[in-house]
Amino acid sequence: MSFTDLHLIEPLLIALEKNKYTIPSPIQMQCIPHILNGKDIFGCAQTGTGKTAAFALPILQLLESKKNPEVARKVKTLVLAPTRELASQISDKFREYGKNLTFRHTVIFGGVSQTKQVAALTRGIDIVIATPGRLLDLMQQGIVNLDAVEYLVLDEADRMLDMGFIHDVKKILAKLPVKKQTMFFTATSPANITKLAATILKNPIHVNADPISSAPRKVSQKLYYVQRPNKTALLTHILKSGHVPHVLVFTRTKRGADRVAKQLNSIRIKAEAIHGNKSQGQRERALQGFKDKSIGVLVATDIASRGIDISKLSHVINYDLPEVAETYVHRIGRTGRAGESGEAISFCCAEETEYLRDIQKLTGNKMEIISKHPFA
Ligand code: AMP
């Protein structure tokens, strides 16, 4: 199947060609026809499955086909996302896919001055991609009007709930027109998510890509048993081997992320930490440095890393194992994306064996144990 078979319009096809997308991903094949047909979607998909294009392409096409001068430059599409990074990435994708169309989009998130965001909104905008807190703030100031919204996307809804955005999300939803088409994406579907989806969606089509219970294919998983105090020495040993030049390292805590980055820098391995206590500017600089490879090691906590889209990420290291097994699958999903192969390396100390058991239960124990290392 090609994108032409999905009946996408020429301006989108040209943009996709430019992006070198040739074959739609499974979630795109499943979503695009239904969204074009006006259906609500409940999508179970992680980042890395191509879900952004799965909703952005048909939304752009619908906006184009229903162009109405009366609602030109009013917010017709609202995308809610849990983090600034994810919102920015979605915004980048709308720019790429929509570059042969004339819609204006903007991204709204907290932690930065609202001046530019307000200016973009008052100039008139078709598509808003936002994190819930700042959007609600601007709504309460009377700066953003959502009366004309026709398409609503909730991306990474599970994470929005985990991050405590449920009340903000509900307040925003209450201000939207009743008649609209809604696309709801989540990586996991615990009870609170299905309950929320049931209150929002009308006869949704359920799509499922890359179920959370299976680790992404093409990612080889390695496990090092190591005592907690030796973790940094083991990390340094692996980084100095030269096989792992570009790596996302996960720690459980913000303090841990800072400590690991500092220790690596002290031995001249360029590393940056990103987590919730860093300013927006610091996070963006770190991410940009990592993307352009001037920084080899990005040390992150789960929330900060969520949704980060770095193509061709070859390695992920779990410096600390996550307490929740699904998080392991999210983490290693950062590597081996879009057909690339990847390697996930995990450290496990005595205190973490319980977490390891849960992970192995969820993923079917595909980890290779590396017993020969200096800190075994
Ligand atoms: P997402 O899951 O939306 O974050 O997308 C993951 C990555 O896959 C992004 O870097 C996209 O640019 C890329 N991508 C999305 N759809 C396709 C496709 N059909 N072919 C190749 N790459 C794609």
Side-chain angles (χ1 to χ4, degrees):
M1 185 184 270
S2 69
F3 282 103
T4 326
D5 299 327
L6 291 172
H7 305 292
L8 291 179
I9 52 175
E10 200 63 21
L12 295 175
L13 291 175
I14 295 169
L16 292 176
E17 206 173 287
K18 183 99 195 207
N19 269 15
K20 301 208 165 59
Y21 293 10
T22 45
I23 306 167
S25 72
I27 188 114
Q28 291 160 5
M29 288 187 211
Q30 293 178 69
C31 284
I32 292 174
H34 289 302
I35 298 176
L36 289 177
N37 262 332
K39 297 284 191 201
D40 280 6
I41 297 285
F42 179 87
C44 233
Q46 323 172 35
T47 298
T49 52
K51 70 177 154 64
T52 316
F55 62 78
L57 293 169
I59 287 176
L60 286 165
Q61 179 148 335
L62 288 166
L63 288 176
E64 180 69 10
S65 68
K66 292 188 188 170
K67 250 186 179 171
N68 173 357
E70 273 182 30
V71 287
R73 309 294 182 226
K74 284 193 176 168
V75 182
K76 291 177 285 300
T77 298
L78 174 65
V79 182
L80 293 179
T83 63
R84 305 152 184 191
E85 283 78 10
L86 183 61
S88 302
Q89 273 166 31
I90 297 171
S91 167
D92 291 346
K93 296 293 177 202
F94 268 99
R95 180 177 309 110
E96 285 171 21
Y97 306 146
K99 68 178 194 190
N100 304 312
L101 299 169
T102 54
F103 300 109
R104 283 194 200 148
H105 72 276
T106 197
V107 58
I108 287 177
F109 47 69
V112 293
S113 145
Q114 69 175 44
T115 317
K116 272 193 190 162
Q117 299 173 2
V118 173
L121 287 167
T122 30
R123 257 201 324 271
I125 211 88
D126 302 285
I127 301 162
V128 166
I129 301 114
T131 55
R134 173 60 65 89
L135 179 69
L136 190 64
D137 188 2
L138 295 181
M139 285 165 72
Q140 286 165 346
Q141 294 178 54
I143 292 164
V144 53
N145 182 326
L146 300 174
D147 290 347
V149 167
E150 294 171 45
Y151 307 105
L152 168 69
V153 179
L154 284 103
D155 198 8
E156 299 199 350
D158 52 348
R159 188 58 45 153
M160 282 201 273
L161 259 52
D162 288 352
M163 290 172 72
F165 284 136
I166 181 72
H167 298 297
D168 289 355
V169 169
K170 283 189 171 163
K171 282 185 201 157
I172 294 167
L173 296 181
K175 297 279 180 208
L176 300 179
V178 176
K179 190 171 171 290
K180 62 184 173 303
Q181 187 179 349
T182 306
M183 289 133 259
F184 187 107
F185 290 91
T186 178
T188 57
S189 41
N192 60 350
I193 278 291
T194 41
K195 209 170 125 199
L196 176 67
T199 62
I200 302 176
L201 299 169
K202 291 179 230 84
N203 302 322
I205 303 287
H206 286 250
V207 297
N208 208 326
D210 231 355
I212 192 73
S213 58
S214 63
R217 263 170 288 137
K218 292 201 176 187
V219 178
S220 70
Q221 301 171 58
K222 294 194 168 138
L223 178 68
Y224 288 74
Y225 285 106
V226 58
Q227 285 179 357
R228 190 188 288 277
N230 289 335
K231 280 187 174 184
T232 304
L234 176 59
L235 178 65
T236 313
H237 170 75
I238 292 172
L239 295 176
K240 289 216 158 155
S241 74
H243 299 304
V244 187
H246 198 229
V247 58
L248 183 57
V249 175
F250 287 97
T251 58
R252 206 164 39 77
T253 64
K254 298 171 196 173
R255 199 146 22 116
D258 281 334
R259 189 175 37 81
V260 171
K262 199 167 156 200
Q263 283 169 334
L264 292 177
N265 281 309
S266 75
I267 52 162
R268 290 169 194 275
I269 295 176
K270 279 204 92 171
E272 284 283 353
I274 63 167
H275 52 65
N277 288 0
K278 296 268 181 181
S279 73
Q280 179 62 10
Q282 286 172 319
R283 283 153 61 138
E284 272 171 15
R285 273 194 300 280
L287 198 55
Q288 196 47 49
F290 189 60
K291 280 187 176 175
D292 67 26
K293 304 209 169 152
S294 57
I295 294 163
V297 185
L298 190 65
V299 191
T301 56
D302 288 300
I303 287 181
S305 81
R306 181 74 181 195
I308 290 180
D309 172 26
I310 304 147
S311 55
K312 298 206 177 95
L313 185 58
S314 59
H315 288 82
V316 162
I317 294 182
N318 293 308
Y319 183 94
D320 297 315
L321 285 180
E323 291 171 18
V324 177
E326 276 85 358
T327 305
Y328 174 83
V329 182
H330 283 306
R331 287 183 181 182
I332 76 170
R334 308 295 101 193
T335 175
R337 17 176 59 189
E340 303 290 328
S341 62
E343 190 169 278
I345 295 169
S346 299
F347 297 172
C348 179
C349 64
E351 295 82 358
E352 294 171 308
T353 47
E354 203 179 311
Y355 306 147
L356 180 65
R357 260 198 303 278
D358 290 344
I359 291 166
Q360 290 177 325
K361 217 156 76 191
L362 181 72
T363 59
N365 193 9
K366 299 195 183 83
M367 296 180 182
E368 177 195 354
I369 298 171
I370 309 295
S371 46
K372 277 195 185 147
H373 65 85
F375 308 97

